[in-house]
Each structure stands twice: as structure tokens, then as C-alpha cells.
Amino acid sequence: MAGAAALGTVSQLWRYPASSLAGERMDAISVDRATVDGDRLFGLVDASDGEIARPDREAKWHKVPLIRTRLSEDRRLEVAVPGGDWLPAPDPRSDRAISTFLGFEASIRPFGQENAAPAYAGPLTEARYRKAPIHLLTTASLARLKALHPQGAPDPRRFRPNIVVDMVPIEGSFPETEWIGRKLAIGDLLLTVSEPCRRCGFTIIAQDGFDTDPGILRNLVRHNAHNLGVYCTVDRPARVEIGAPMRFV
């Protein structure tokens, strides 16, 4: 491994404390066997029926990715609607702010009691997706998408990666999609690329700084079998920082 040339370096790191809400950009993340520390601990539901947010399928949820999230130093969730202050969640104050922003009664709920504050006695919800440990995306693939769809904005936030690796573009290629089964070292973290990440309607939704764009998904369907980026399993957990090199093992 020591002699392998670097494929690229880590340029962005993300975790998503609440599913479907905006992610939290990090200088470093801690990765264990199952997940990124602090990733996808909470969900947003329709308070009338407990339905979990589906921005990829229902227009009523399309503004959800505009709601910011972060974890405090004591690992409590805080959320902020556009133009609003940071508020603790789950909490009636944040639920009211989110409900007003969305136009219907909505509520933040933990995916398990272990994710809630000790005093929390409210309802729980269940994660909608099977959670892959790591979602990795290269700037080379983003550059390929931009070449196919020059008028589009293939911002990483459309795709919700944990790790973005800055990598020289390869003409005509979404490179990581071709790495299934290969092993990667990112700093001290060891990963196996397990499967391509199949994209959904979430990728076309407007977020802060870019507009709704069906051409994003249309080009991925046409040119890369619906896929962008890859899921990885963890062979050796580690802390990863911005600037860490990525190599094949």
C-alpha cells in the first residue's frame, strides 16, 4: 500500500444528523464499522400519520433539504429553517418552526431512544433506508456529469456523500463506479467498494444555491445506469480529515 500512488485527496466531509435535511460539513469525521459518527440519527415525519419525509417522491417535502442541521458539542441535534435561529430538536419549538416552514404539522423524531436526549419521552421513528457505512463520491464523476450536462449544477449536496475525493477527471468515465470490489485506503481508513449508489429524485431538488434540475437525474439514467458515487463497507475504522490521500490497496 505504501507504494501506491494517490488517486486523489479528500476535499469534503459530511454527516447528516437528520435524514433528508441538509448535511453538516465537517473538517474530520470518525468512521466505525457501521457508520459515520453522528450520521442519520433522526428523521422528520408528518405529525398527522407518522409518515417519514420523502423529498424524492412527494412535493410536500421538497423544501426539507433547505433545513440546516448540526450536532452540538454534547451531541444534541439543532436545526434551523431558512432565515431562522438554531433550535434544539426534538423539541416543540423546532417542530413549530419546521411546520410553519413546510405548511403542515411535522416533527423531528429519533431513530432510536439511544439517539435522544435522556429526558426525551416522545415517539420514535424508523430509518427509511438500509444505511450503508460510507458513501464516497469523486470530483471526477461530478466533472463527467458536468460535461454531459453543462448547464446543470452537479453540487455534491445533491448526492449526500460522506466523503468527497478531489480527483483528476477521466474523460468519458464515472471512475468510482468501476471500482466495485476494490479496496481503498483513505488516510488510515480502509474500505471495500461494495456497490454503486443508485440515484433517485432527491438529486433534482433545489437547495440553497442551486435550482431544481431534472437533467441531473436524466443524464445519470442515460449515461451511468442511474448511478453516481459508491457505497463502501469498512475494513478498518479510523478518523478521516480533509486532505487525506486516497489510494488503492
Side-chain angles (χ1 to χ4, degrees):
M1 184 178 72
L7 295 163
T9 58
V10 173
S11 58
Q12 296 183 28
L13 294 166
W14 293 87
R15 67 183 178 190
Y16 305 89
S19 288
S20 297
L21 281 66
E24 180 179 17
R25 192 165 176 176
M26 309 292 291
D27 293 325
I29 57 174
S30 294
V31 183
D32 62 24
R33 293 281 181 182
T35 188
V36 173
D37 182 50
D39 200 46
R40 293 175 171 87
L41 306 177
F42 300 86
L44 177 66
V45 304
D46 184 325
S48 69
D49 59 9
E51 174 202 21
I52 199 162
R54 294 296 303 260
D56 57 324
R57 293 192 178 181
E58 292 190 62
K60 76 177 189 178
W61 298 112
H62 279 182
K63 294 199 295 183
V64 167
L66 296 169
I67 304 170
R68 293 179 293 158
T69 66
R70 68 186 184 188
L71 291 181
S72 66
E73 289 187 5
D74 60 353
R75 297 181 58 80
R76 302 301 174 210
L77 178 65
E78 297 175 339
V79 301
V81 301
D85 296 329
W86 289 101
L87 298 169
D91 187 275
R93 290 169 290 173
S94 53
D95 282 356
R96 283 194 296 270
I98 291 171
S99 298
T100 299
F101 176 62
L102 295 179
F104 62 91
E105 293 298 314
S107 179
I108 296 276
R109 295 179 183 174
F111 284 143
Q113 190 63 47
E114 68 276 8
N115 299 331
Y120 180 77
L124 306 176
T125 190
E126 292 187 7
R128 182 160 49 90
Y129 294 122
R130 175 184 62 84
K131 186 165 60 175
I134 288 289
H135 174 200
L136 182 144
L137 179 62
T138 70
T139 61
S141 283
L142 294 174
R144 172 61 175 153
L145 179 55
K146 182 68 173 178
L148 292 166
H149 184 43
Q151 67 273 35
D155 190 291
R157 290 174 293 162
R158 290 192 185 275
F159 311 106
R160 301 176 73 79
N162 298 114
I163 301 175
V164 179
V165 175
D166 191 12
M167 182 177 166
V168 174
I170 301 172
E171 187 174 355
S173 175
F174 295 92
E176 64 269 31
T177 312
E178 302 167 11
W179 299 345
I180 308 305
R182 299 203 69 169
K183 293 185 180 293
L184 298 169
I186 303 177
D188 293 327
L189 178 69
L190 295 184
L191 304 172
T192 297
V193 182
S194 56
E195 60 183 298
C197 186
R198 184 176 175 86
R199 310 318 315 199
C200 66
F202 192 103
T203 61
I204 75 175
I205 298 171
Q207 294 186 46
D208 184 21
F210 53 84
D211 296 328
T212 296
D213 184 1
I216 292 285
L217 185 56
R218 189 180 303 126
N219 277 278
L220 293 176
V221 171
R222 183 177 301 150
H223 296 284
N224 202 36
H226 257 103
N227 301 314
L228 188 75
V230 287
Y231 291 126
C232 303
T233 56
V234 178
D235 300 322
R236 184 174 70 198
R239 175 182 165 91
V240 179
E241 299 182 351
I242 297 293
M246 181 177 74
R247 297 178 171 86
F248 286 130
V249 178

